[in-house]
Amino acid sequence: MQFTPRCRHTLAATTAAVAMLGLTACTSGDTEAGETPQKIEQIGLMVQDMSNPFFSAMDKGAKEAAAKIGATENTQDAQLDLANQNNQIDAFIQQGVDLIVISAVDENGIEPAIARAKQAGVIVIAVDTPAKGADAVIMTDAVQAGEKSCDYLFKEMAGQGNVLLVDGTPIQTIRDRIAGCKNVLKNYPGIKVVGQQASKNDRASGLAVTTDMLTASPDVQGIFGMNDPSALGAVLAVEQAGKSTQVKVTGVDGSPEAVAELGRSGSPFIGTATQNPAEMVRRAVQVAQDIIAKKPPAQQTILIPSELVTRDNVNEYQGW
């Protein structure tokens, strides 16, 4: 898509020649960031997959944050497609948005599009997972989330048995959760990983890959799903295999569906490490306002702590 970056010149031009010079400087292909806006009036939110309730909660947070500062908000669903996100960024530039908040499908692949946005003077904040070139990244402490979820699972297994890891798409936040799980695995010599396969981060693929792994390795006592949809798919696979009393399952997200599952009698699902998708977007908007006020964050990556929700404390959890 061809586009002309938006100019944000503040210097008065007293002649047509000077004005044209300013326009040329803005559109000449200079790779440096353009001038940031004076105020956030239009926000573009880019999510990976709106079918995941996590991103629906992010959309809700974006609308709340926009309303609070009197801005408009437009959410776009990438459907896990990098090409879609590239096109969406170009469209946002054309529309003249002041802030793009993005959960990137591919943190490296999206870098050229982010560079185009910044050249046009758009502030870009990544949420949930890093994105190369973004002004800041706001995400859950994903390593901590994986550690908390798996530590609880392994303790509930009494430190003995075989586990499956339901992995996901190869983005940083998911790699970090798996890394966190493997960190605490070192403390449990009696537990062995007997299978690890990648889902597409949703319930249907979580069911499919868990079914495959249970067929290959039926002697399993625990399953870690790197997000709640995949973990709940694993729960269904466990129940279909008639192993509800043998296998315990944990996830990451603290989603409404996970909360409901924790309250379901007889479910193999025993815990989830929380994320706060709406808060990520709210903080992204605040960071953007701080950037406008010449108060950029001290650290480019801002981590939100994760908490463990189990059957014992689920009634105290405020949720999304």
Side-chain angles (χ1 to χ4, degrees):
M1 180 182 292
Q2 299 296 316
F3 63 90
T4 301
R6 184 175 37 156
C7 291
R8 299 188 188 277
H9 297 291
T10 57
L11 294 176
T14 57
T15 68
V18 174
M20 183 58 69
L21 178 62
L23 179 60
T24 302
C26 182
T27 60
S28 64
D30 185 358
T31 58
E32 292 186 6
E35 186 174 340
T36 56
Q38 299 300 307
K39 181 181 179 182
I40 297 174
E41 297 179 333
Q42 297 184 65
I43 300 170
L45 172 65
M46 304 172 62
V47 301
Q48 295 182 30
D49 180 9
M50 192 61 86
S51 68
N52 186 333
F54 178 86
F55 295 110
S56 296
M58 196 173 275
D59 174 58
K60 179 182 176 182
K63 287 177 168 53
E64 291 171 350
K68 186 175 180 180
I69 64 172
T72 61
E73 189 274 337
N74 181 356
T75 298
Q76 294 294 313
D77 181 3
Q79 298 179 325
L80 295 173
D81 190 317
L82 174 61
N84 286 343
Q85 286 201 324
N86 271 287
N87 292 335
Q88 288 161 1
I89 284 184
D90 288 340
F92 278 149
I93 295 169
Q94 286 277 34
Q95 293 162 19
V97 302
D98 305 295
L99 167 64
I100 291 175
V101 180
I102 179 171
S103 178
V105 171
D106 183 329
E107 64 183 274
N108 296 309
I110 201 63
E111 184 177 14
I114 289 177
R116 294 194 295 273
K118 292 178 68 175
Q119 184 184 351
V122 182
I123 299 170
V124 181
I125 307 293
V127 290
D128 182 43
T129 194
K132 290 289 181 65
D135 293 288
V137 181
I138 300 168
M139 57 190 288
T140 303
D141 188 335
V143 173
Q144 182 189 61
E147 289 173 343
K148 289 196 172 189
S149 185
C150 284
D151 189 59
Y152 182 68
L153 174 63
F154 300 159
K155 283 179 179 175
E156 289 297 299
M157 292 170 59
Q160 298 292 326
N162 298 324
V163 297
L164 302 175
L165 305 183
V166 184
D167 208 332
T169 54
I171 58 175
Q172 188 62 49
T173 184
I174 291 175
R175 290 194 294 264
D176 285 349
R177 293 175 206 172
I178 295 293
C181 184
K182 290 181 176 179
N183 284 348
V184 297
L185 182 64
K186 299 170 186 176
N187 301 327
Y188 294 89
I191 290 179
K192 180 181 179 182
V193 175
V194 295
Q196 178 176 345
Q197 287 189 29
S199 71
K200 295 179 180 178
N201 307 345
D202 59 17
R203 192 178 299 211
S205 60
L207 165 62
V209 300
T210 304
T211 299
D212 288 345
M213 288 191 286
L214 282 174
T215 300
S217 303
D219 183 20
V220 168
Q221 290 73 43
I223 300 173
F224 170 61
M226 56 76 224
N227 71 355
D228 282 346
S230 68
L232 295 178
V235 165
L236 185 54
V238 167
E239 292 180 328
Q240 289 179 351
K243 297 178 180 291
S244 296
T245 60
Q246 299 170 229
V247 182
K248 296 176 175 20
V249 181
T250 62
V252 172
D253 279 335
S255 67
E257 292 77 11
V259 169
E261 190 68 21
L262 286 172
R264 184 169 71 89
S265 178
S267 172
F269 191 69
I270 62 169
T272 177
T274 65
Q275 296 204 86
N276 194 331
E279 178 62 16
M280 289 181 197
V281 180
R282 287 192 289 264
R283 289 208 194 179
V285 173
Q286 183 57 59
V287 167
Q289 289 182 297
D290 290 343
I291 289 173
I292 290 172
K294 310 299 182 186
K295 300 176 182 176
Q299 301 292 332
Q300 187 185 33
T301 299
I302 300 167
L303 296 180
I304 299 175
S306 178
E307 301 295 336
L308 182 70
V309 180
T310 69
R311 291 172 183 165
D312 293 335
N313 66 1
V314 66
N315 292 332
E316 303 166 15
Y317 173 53
Q318 293 184 353
W320 293 354

